[in-house]
Amino acid sequence: MPTQTDHIVKSFDQELEALRRLVVQMGGFAESQLEAAITCVTRRDGELAGRVMRRDADLDEYERQIDAAVVRILALRQPMATDLREVLATLRIASDLERIGDYAANIAKRSLALAQVAAVRPTTGLPRMGRLVQQIIKDVLDAYGERDLEKALAAWREDETVDDLYTSLFRETLTYMMEDPRNITPCTHLLFIAKNVERIGDHATNIAETIHFLITGRTITDARPKGDTSSFVVVSPGDETQAKEE
Amino acid sequence: MPTQTDHIVKSFDQELEALRRLVVQMGGFAESQLEAAITCVTRRDGELAGRVMRRDADLDEYERQIDAAVVRILALRQPMATDLREVLATLRIASDLERIGDYAANIAKRSLALAQVAAVRPTTGLPRMGRLVQQIIKDVLDAYGERDLEKALAAWREDETVDDLYTSLFRETLTYMMEDPRNITPCTHLLFIAKNVERIGDHATNIAETIHFLITGRTITDARPKGDTSSFVVVSPGDETQAKEE
């Protein structure tokens, strides 16, 4: 049983190791929240949605624990150089994971609004995006655990595919809205759900950048892949067929 | 002219003071970016939009400077207790301000897509939301500069009004989309713009929470006001008149 003076007898390396494990655990939990949230959308499972929303509090608690551990280490160990970088990196990663959880909870919440309205078609693109983003989170967590720079960079680049998927989903969904006004409400929620998945991808990318900094001591200098061009998308009534074929 | 050993001769208090000033400056800049972004939307000013998008790099640079200053202070000064809390709080605040800037740049970007399509009506709600969020950022920065807990909490509570404005804008915009399919593309961009403003409000709220922690050493225990109920909104064709009157 741990005692109050436990952190004093533990070695610094052990403390860092415990912190790392906490981050990896939190990451696995965030990833499972995303997976469950996408299932809420595809299966319209209201009960699961409630569970995902409630479990978001656990991610907040993980972040609080990590923050507290970091403050304790900074105060008691006063780490320098690489160790300092490592400790500060965990703060950043925990914050990105916490945001990933928020977006997953919001996806679950919106799936409840979707469940109230008639089924809409364009849901195959969404699970595909979801699976890809889940894989990126997995890879990024592996890269963190194994200090694997190449894996982190590969995951970082993969985010461009997510952005492309999002942009075509955006375009396609607008055309469904134009075809039938009854599609407007569900499709709007779908658009925000897809945007949430895209944002989760961005946070996974942030984590990859933090890992890059952690390993190399430098920030990524390549321009970050920016594939989400949906902000520029204009679809007009009559474009439907063309847009769907693109 | 500062020399390389400048940080050694400067007192710790002076370093903290310089860090605080940098945060306040960054905050003022983020606030001006939001203001300009909203102007892009209301005036469809493409040139200004380009400027807002380019200036976002300045906010990233502010964050890098703050991060570097924090790492330097942690490594050289090894602050304890309140000072440590202060230093870590600036990291968090800078990260929220950087996100605020990202959302402002995205608003400017989307205003370009809006400019390509016919004018849409529901733009009065948006500047109102924008002004309110700008005021919250201002208040939160004042609260930070003056260590004013009451002001921080007042700003924190004000975010609920932003969420209410957003939810009614969301509902109203859906009805415009149902009235005329030509409204669908511009209204979708407007919805995302409004969502960005709402998210900026959330980040301002985060800053208020960081100030609370900074001053009291405790996290806010009240449930955070969650007024954005738009995730549950369902509007059906035929609801138009009713929704607009709500």
Side-chain angles (χ1 to χ4, degrees):
Chain A
M1 195 181 138
T3 65
Q4 273 197 315
T5 53
D6 205 40
H7 57 261
I8 298 176
V9 292
K10 255 200 267 174
S11 79
F12 181 42
D13 281 348
Q14 282 174 309
E15 276 186 66
L16 271 187
E17 193 44 49
L19 187 60
R20 267 180 221 134
R21 265 201 311 275
L22 206 53
V23 170
V24 171
Q25 268 173 32
M26 184 183 181
F29 192 79
E31 188 202 319
S32 72
Q33 285 282 89
L34 168 62
E35 185 173 17
I38 300 289
T39 306
C40 295
V41 179
T42 52
R43 298 215 194 128
R44 313 282 157 103
D45 183 337
E47 206 185 314
L48 181 60
R51 230 159 35 234
V52 171
M53 287 160 69
R54 281 192 302 277
R55 279 194 308 224
D56 188 42
D58 294 351
L59 276 178
D60 297 344
E61 180 52 33
Y62 265 117
E63 194 190 13
R64 263 192 298 275
Q65 279 186 30
I66 290 170
D67 284 5
V70 164
V71 168
R72 200 170 53 227
I73 290 178
L74 285 176
L76 296 178
R77 302 291 185 174
Q78 308 183 331
M80 306 282 287
T82 324
D83 290 336
L84 181 56
R85 210 154 71 201
E86 160 105 37
V87 169
L88 291 178
T90 57
L91 270 191
R92 262 186 200 286
I93 294 174
S95 159
D96 280 311
L97 291 173
E98 191 270 332
R99 296 291 307 131
I100 287 174
D102 285 348
Y103 285 113
N106 188 261
I107 292 170
K109 194 166 147 189
R110 281 187 195 274
S111 77
L112 296 175
L114 274 187
Q116 290 178 58
V117 285
V120 278
R121 281 172 294 174
T123 39
T124 55
L126 187 77
R128 222 175 117 204
M129 257 183 90
R131 276 192 302 273
L132 181 56
V133 170
Q134 223 190 312
Q135 188 59 48
I136 293 178
I137 299 177
K138 239 185 211 123
D139 289 346
V140 147
L141 290 173
D142 285 351
Y144 172 77
E146 300 157 16
R147 294 294 182 269
D148 185 334
L149 184 61
E150 270 321 300
K151 195 175 263 184
L153 286 174
W156 183 74
R157 280 187 289 265
E158 202 56 24
D159 190 49
E160 203 168 348
T161 315
V162 176
D163 290 340
D164 289 342
L165 282 175
Y166 171 67
T167 301
S168 60
L169 198 95
F170 185 88
R171 190 178 276 280
E172 193 191 334
T173 307
L174 284 187
T175 66
Y176 291 117
M177 293 160 94
M178 286 169 191
E179 278 174 5
D180 186 343
R182 282 168 302 179
N183 288 339
I184 290 178
T185 291
C187 282
T188 302
H189 286 294
L190 264 185
L191 280 180
F192 276 95
I193 287 171
K195 182 72 199 169
N196 284 343
V197 177
E198 189 267 334
R199 292 291 304 134
I200 290 177
D202 286 346
H203 282 283
T205 311
N206 287 349
I207 296 175
E209 291 178 5
T210 301
I211 295 169
H212 181 279
F213 180 73
L214 178 60
I215 297 176
T216 67
R218 285 172 294 110
T219 49
I220 282 187
T221 45
D222 292 14
R224 174 172 173 168
K226 278 271 181 201
D228 168 17
T229 54
S230 72
S231 302
F232 295 120
V233 167
V234 173
V235 179
S236 306
D239 288 355
E240 287 93 335
T241 328
Q242 187 210 335
K244 265 179 281 182
E245 281 165 1
E246 264 174 34
Chain B
M1 196 179 139
T3 66
Q4 276 197 313
T5 52
D6 205 42
H7 57 261
I8 297 174
V9 291
K10 252 199 268 174
S11 77
F12 181 44
D13 281 349
Q14 280 174 310
E15 276 185 66
L16 271 186
E17 191 45 48
L19 186 61
R20 267 180 221 136
R21 266 202 309 274
L22 206 55
V23 171
V24 171
Q25 267 173 33
M26 182 181 183
F29 192 80
E31 187 202 318
S32 72
Q33 285 283 90
L34 168 62
E35 184 172 19
I38 298 290
T39 305
C40 295
V41 179
T42 51
R43 298 212 195 128
R44 312 281 157 103
D45 183 338
E47 208 186 310
L48 180 61
R51 240 173 12 246
V52 171
M53 286 159 70
R54 281 192 302 279
R55 281 195 306 224
D56 188 42
D58 294 351
L59 276 178
D60 296 344
E61 180 53 33
Y62 266 117
E63 194 190 12
R64 264 193 296 275
Q65 279 186 30
I66 290 169
D67 284 4
V70 164
V71 168
R72 202 169 53 229
I73 291 179
L74 285 177
L76 297 177
R77 302 291 186 176
Q78 308 182 329
M80 306 283 286
T82 324
D83 290 336
L84 181 57
R85 210 154 68 200
E86 161 104 38
V87 169
L88 292 178
T90 58
L91 270 191
R92 261 183 202 285
I93 294 175
S95 160
D96 281 311
L97 291 173
E98 192 269 334
R99 295 294 306 133
I100 287 175
D102 285 349
Y103 285 112
N106 188 262
I107 292 170
K109 194 166 148 192
R110 283 187 194 273
S111 77
L112 297 174
L114 273 188
Q116 290 178 59
V117 285
V120 278
R121 281 173 293 174
T123 40
T124 55
L126 188 77
R128 222 176 116 203
M129 254 183 90
R131 276 192 304 274
L132 181 57
V133 170
Q134 223 190 309
Q135 188 59 46
I136 293 178
I137 300 178
K138 241 186 211 127
D139 289 344
V140 148
L141 291 172
D142 286 351
Y144 172 76
E146 300 158 15
R147 295 293 181 272
D148 185 335
L149 184 62
E150 271 319 300
K151 195 175 264 183
L153 286 174
W156 183 74
R157 279 185 290 263
E158 201 57 21
D159 190 49
E160 203 169 348
T161 314
V162 176
D163 290 340
D164 288 343
L165 282 175
Y166 171 68
T167 302
S168 59
L169 198 95
F170 185 89
R171 189 177 276 278
E172 191 189 337
T173 307
L174 285 187
T175 66
Y176 289 119
M177 294 160 94
M178 287 171 190
E179 277 174 5
D180 186 343
R182 284 170 301 180
N183 289 339
I184 290 178
T185 290
C187 283
T188 301
H189 286 294
L190 264 185
L191 280 181
F192 275 96
I193 288 172
K195 182 73 198 169
N196 284 342
V197 177
E198 189 267 334
R199 292 291 304 134
I200 290 177
D202 285 345
H203 282 283
T205 311
N206 287 350
I207 297 176
E209 290 178 6
T210 302
I211 296 170
H212 181 278
F213 180 73
L214 179 58
I215 297 177
T216 66
R218 285 172 293 110
T219 49
I220 282 189
T221 44
D222 292 14
R224 175 172 172 169
K226 279 271 181 199
D228 168 16
T229 53
S230 73
S231 302
F232 295 119
V233 167
V234 173
V235 179
S236 306
D239 288 355
E240 288 92 336
T241 328
Q242 186 211 337
K244 267 181 283 182
E245 282 167 0
E246 263 175 36

